[in-house]
Amino acid sequence: MPSYHCKTTHRISVCCGKFLFSYSSQSLSHLDTPSPVESQGSGPGSPSGDAHTVLHTTGKKGLYLTEPPTGVKFVPTDSENLCGWGALSPRCIQTFNTPRWFLFFLCVASFLQGMIINGFINTVITSIERRFDLHSYQAGLIASSYDIAACVCLTFVSYFGGTGHKPRWLGWGVLIMALGSLVFALPHFTTPPYQVRVPERMGLCSANHTEACVGEEGGLSAYRYVFMLGQFLHGVGATPLYTLGVTYLDENVKSNYAPVYIGIFYTAAIVGPAAGYLLGGFFLNIYTEIDQTTELTPENPLWVGAWWIGFLAGGAAALVIALPILGYPRQLPGSQRYVAMRVSEAHQLKDGSQITAADPQFGKTVKDMPRSVLLLLKNPTFIFLCLAGATEATLIAGMSTFGPKFLESQFSLSASEAATWFGYMVVPAGGGGTFLGGFIVKKLNLRCRGIIRFCMLCAVVSLTAIFIFLVHCPNVPMAGVTRIGALPIFSDLGNLTAACNTGCHCVKELFNPVCGADGVMYFSPCHAGCSSINHTYSLRGRQVFSGCSCVVGNISWGEQGFAEEGRCVSSCNHMPAFLTFLFVIILFTFLCSIPALTATLRCVPDSQRSFGLGIQWIVVRTLGGIPGPIAFGSVIDISCLLWEEQCGEYGSCYLYHNSAMSQYSLIAGIIYKVLGTIFFFLAAMLYKPPPESPQSSCESTDVGGGEARDLPIKDLPAEIISNPHAKL
């Protein structure tokens, strides 16, 4: 146990944890002339020599801190809190034992988490549906498994990890997350190769065209449980990141810098999904069986890209980054000074029971957990911030999972193109909004109530922009599905067989759409009545079919028409406007994410910060993250016009009703944005700050920065205020 000694010339000494505040009689006689100079640490692993903290008397009971003069020192006596792994603590790595380097490694971990879970998975979800014959609601259940795991682990991790060795919790979490990525990629290596019989899939009109049911791929939908296991491990591993990681940063930097550090941390978590969308889109242009060649193109609905590569690469990177995180100490050198310099902004309960949390022994045993939960439930500001976060999480989870599919359907894009465009939106809007939110809180020095009002303003702006979903693109006409009156030969909606293709004996299992010269899309060349392949290619490099009896010619009825491989290109020109407003929605949604998190940290007692974040994440995931993808997946399934049918069983959806998809998304967006605005309003109205907490938004949370103020030091645990082993 290290000891800290006072110099004998000092009259007053107060030990704070690992450090000893030493005050000479000369320094106490010049309290009105604080020194603005801060000294830096003199060596690896050791805190700075001079602490800028002054005891100031104002006539009130107790001592108050303002700017520190020369003579007020932290005096460490040995170099504890070294960076290393057990007994291995080489001096060369102590350079990294700073908040900035820890922030760097934590940002890499959050980047990987965002890239894998919120980027790759959302990008490849369509390909996984196609490869393993899954419904959208099943894909939504896979996405929600991450949040289910987090809810199971959050209480345990946040409660015990909050008083434990946070970097070790974080490091082991990253290792588990890496394992989840490897498990998620496992089905690619345990299933038979993905093979599409191209000549049959071409499906030219022939008299004896039949397709037998093959049981080889019939059970692939059961692999969804492997994906759910991988996502479950992802959720377990990522649980410490956004609870213990945030509080560890908040505890080891000045409180007015904490929003910036946390903002940078969350920005990395937002840029991660953007990188996942871009890299995922690139990988989807590579055929899933990389050692084989195929005649399919990425535009073909039967194309399955190399969805698994990203998970292997991300899992390997997570294994590497876990090692330095595991080496960090329980507290960074010099962190106790920031604990001592803070002013509490915790919400004041009517019965004053928040004082219980000031007990240094509170929260260290399981028996204190019910009281901890009760204190948080009695905090209305905390409760409404949790509910507001849940409404935002529902939209974020739903749109991030199915946003690329929405773009793919509305604007007739390929899966890789939709993922790439969505990534272009998330990078500047999500990442920029996250960082800008933390910067605004620091720049304006907003207090708790001002932060919540800022969040409410952001919710109102994004609510206004969400009405862009009123605009949608009409479906490309498809024979027998969306087009009835214009093509008399396809008079029955849902019936793909007509007089022009009756003799072809086409089957519905062979979905390979072609675009006729009449601008109508057909289920396959067979359903278009095409009898031969024209060995020339269109201007877009696509295969051309000729002799298509169902395609109406440009000159007169009955002329044998032509059809081009792939879907028809949509003539809708709403994409620029839609992407612009989508950018605004994403920007202002993420603009309030860091401020809302900062308000949560400030409205609860310091000893409950980790546990409070854990409870908040449980609420957010239970009411938002888990039902969000499932609900949006169900809504998208309702919008389906044409289902895959294999041997009498339905698989994934081939074609969606664009108008219905937009309307359902708009209704969901309005409901949740209105609820979020109301919850932020109630959180601000019901917030009751401590009597000594400054209410002006221009005042700082730290009592050591800026101009001298008569702010009381917050209640400190007994073991921090005094040290019986210190020698006077």
Side-chain angles (χ1 to χ4, degrees), residues 365-381:
T365 60
V366 179
K367 66 179 182 180
D368 290 331
M369 185 180 292
R371 281 197 298 167
S372 295
V373 174
L374 182 61
L375 285 176
L376 293 174
L377 293 179
K378 292 166 65 176
N379 188 333
T381 301

Side-chain angles (χ1 to χ4, degrees), residues 16 61-65 336 338-346 348 352-360 604-609 690-693 701 703 711-722:
C16 284
K61 183 179 180 180
L63 297 175
Y64 293 78
L65 294 174
Q336 284 290 348
Y338 305 127
V339 176
M341 290 166 59
R342 285 193 174 155
V343 176
S344 175
E345 295 182 74
Q348 301 299 290
S353 56
Q354 76 281 349
I355 300 176
T356 305
D359 185 349
V604 299
D606 286 358
S607 62
Q608 288 194 292
R609 288 187 172 189
E692 69 273 12
S693 179
T701 310
V703 295
L711 303 181
I713 185 170
K714 66 177 187 178
D715 294 332
L716 293 175
E719 70 263 28
I720 293 181
I721 295 177
S722 62

Side-chain angles (χ1 to χ4, degrees), residues 466-613:
I466 210 167
F467 282 93
I468 188 60
F469 282 94
L470 286 172
V471 179
H472 67 275
C473 291
N475 284 91
V476 174
M478 184 172 180
V481 178
T482 62
R483 195 171 174 87
I484 304 176
L487 285 182
I489 53 176
F490 288 93
S491 56
D492 296 331
L493 184 65
N495 187 5
L496 300 177
T497 303
C500 61
N501 62 20
T502 302
C504 297
H505 301 282
C506 305
V507 292
K508 292 184 64 176
E509 287 84 1
L510 308 178
F511 182 60
N512 185 30
V514 294
C515 183
D518 52 359
V520 177
M521 186 166 67
Y522 296 85
F523 190 87
S524 69
C526 180
H527 288 84
C530 301
S531 58
S532 62
I533 299 176
N534 191 330
H535 294 286
T536 60
Y537 289 86
S538 66
L539 296 176
R540 293 182 294 168
R542 296 184 178 183
Q543 180 68 60
V544 175
F545 301 91
S546 59
C548 304
S549 58
C550 296
V551 178
V552 179
N554 293 329
I555 300 176
S556 62
W557 173 261
E559 178 186 357
Q560 289 185 335
F562 294 88
E564 182 184 68
E565 178 189 17
R567 299 174 185 263
C568 294
V569 178
S570 174
S571 59
C572 179
N573 57 2
H574 298 326
M575 187 171 174
F578 181 85
L579 291 180
T580 300
F581 279 88
L582 181 63
F583 181 91
V584 174
I585 295 171
I586 297 175
L587 175 66
F588 280 90
T589 297
F590 284 95
L591 190 63
C592 71
S593 60
I594 298 303
L597 181 66
T598 304
T600 302
L601 290 172
R602 292 186 180 181
C603 75
V604 299
D606 286 358
S607 62
Q608 288 194 292
R609 288 187 172 189
S610 294
F611 189 56
L613 281 183

